[in-house]
Amino acid sequence: MAPMGIRLSPLGMAVFCLLGLGVLYHLYSGFLAGRFAFFMLSEPAAGGPETPRGSAPGGAVDLRELLAVSVLAAVRGGEEVKRVREGNVLNAKAKGKTREGAEEQLTTGDLLSNRRMFYLLKGAFPAVQINSEERVDTADQETVSWDRSIPEDIKQKIQPKEVPAESVTVWIDPLDATQEYTEDLRQYVTTMVCVAVNGKPVIGVIHKPFSSYTAWAMVDGGSNIKARSSYNEKTPRIIVSRSHAGKVEQVARQTFGNKTVIIPAGGAGYKVLALLDVPEKNQEEADVYIHVTYIKKWDICAGNAVLRALGGHMTTLTGEEISYTGSDGNEGGLIASINMNHKALIEKLPDLEKSSHK
């Protein structure tokens, strides 16, 4: 028997082709949907969080944005400092001794402020090097986000300026004047953030938690603080550390005369503000700031940046610029001034430099 043949009518052929096209469409549309879903997941959602600036090595950092985050960090840290002090839950303990043998204090205020400031800055700029006075415990990590808003006064005075992320070092002092903090001498206490680019201080923020006053400045940018209208160069008022006022007083009076006024004070941030026009009743005024012993860079970087931005100077006692890379300490003491002949001041104080290394 001959094999039977199958014949399809034109209508059958059309139906067969349509079925085939339907199968192909189903398979291909599934592939496209998968590719589209992958693409959408790999891109940030509209209106969702943006990738942080400076999130990878080789990226760029906008200094205006970094200034805005630094101000916010100093204020947020200050809130913790104030809350702990007003709640009288300092839990103060010794963390070591200075080179001069003075006991260094550590409080809950230091630790909580440090955690808040560090993680806010690190979350906004993950690739930037951050150096802090207090150790960061990864077990206490917290998520502190920045909404990317920039205060209006910064927008008006500062233009965007990008620099390589690897050139930036941030220095945090989560609680300057801890000793005075434990003694309830609140006027001396500050929180500070400094941004150095290639070792030079370019952004400084000094915040006073108990009065909510914040000073900020950016070199070649702008500031919300200014120098006073006049300074006394002949018999300057010299502000110094409370712990070694006597050592400076003796040399200063030999140099400038017996009428020289020595102002003992706590906190490097407070001492820098004493050189400027600060609208606060409990802020003392001085013409020169002198420190004759070893000091950590997180204590002085913010003040150095603010003075540089306003045309002032902070150098070692021999007139050398202080680099904010490498080690965390400054060996050469310091002298700070603004709208004065800084070089002439240094030449008058040759004996102080020798004592700074002892």
Side-chain angles (χ1 to χ4, degrees), residues 165-244:
E166 62 268 23
S167 69
V168 175
T169 306
V170 177
W171 295 85
I172 298 175
D173 193 340
L175 201 170
D176 190 36
T178 300
Q179 179 62 46
E180 287 73 21
Y181 182 64
T182 63
E183 298 172 21
D184 209 16
L185 299 173
R186 304 183 183 193
Q187 70 271 25
Y188 297 126
V189 175
T190 62
T191 57
M192 296 188 287
V193 181
C194 176
V195 177
V197 178
N198 295 320
K200 295 182 178 180
V202 298
I203 290 174
V205 179
I206 305 174
H207 175 68
K208 301 178 80 171
F210 297 102
S211 66
S212 299
Y213 174 78
T214 306
W216 60 260
M218 177 173 158
V219 175
D220 297 327
S223 68
N224 72 341
I225 191 170
K226 61 183 180 179
R228 297 200 310 272
S229 58
S230 63
Y231 295 85
N232 189 336
E233 291 194 53
K234 292 185 178 180
T235 54
R237 294 163 294 180
I238 301 176
I239 194 163
V240 301
S241 173
R242 293 171 70 221
S243 60
H244 38 77

Side-chain angles (χ1 to χ4, degrees), residues 13 49 58 71 105 120 125 163 178 220 230 254 278 299 326 336:
M13 286 291 292
V71 170
Q105 297 286 316
L120 177 56
F125 297 94
V163 296
T178 300
D220 297 327
S230 63
Q254 289 174 356
V278 176
D299 289 320

Side-chain angles (χ1 to χ4, degrees), residues 66 69-70 73 117-126 130 170 172 193:
L66 192 44
V69 179
S70 297
M117 294 173 71
F118 179 87
Y119 285 114
L120 177 56
L121 285 157
K122 199 65 177 175
F125 297 94
I130 301 176
V170 177
I172 298 175
V193 181

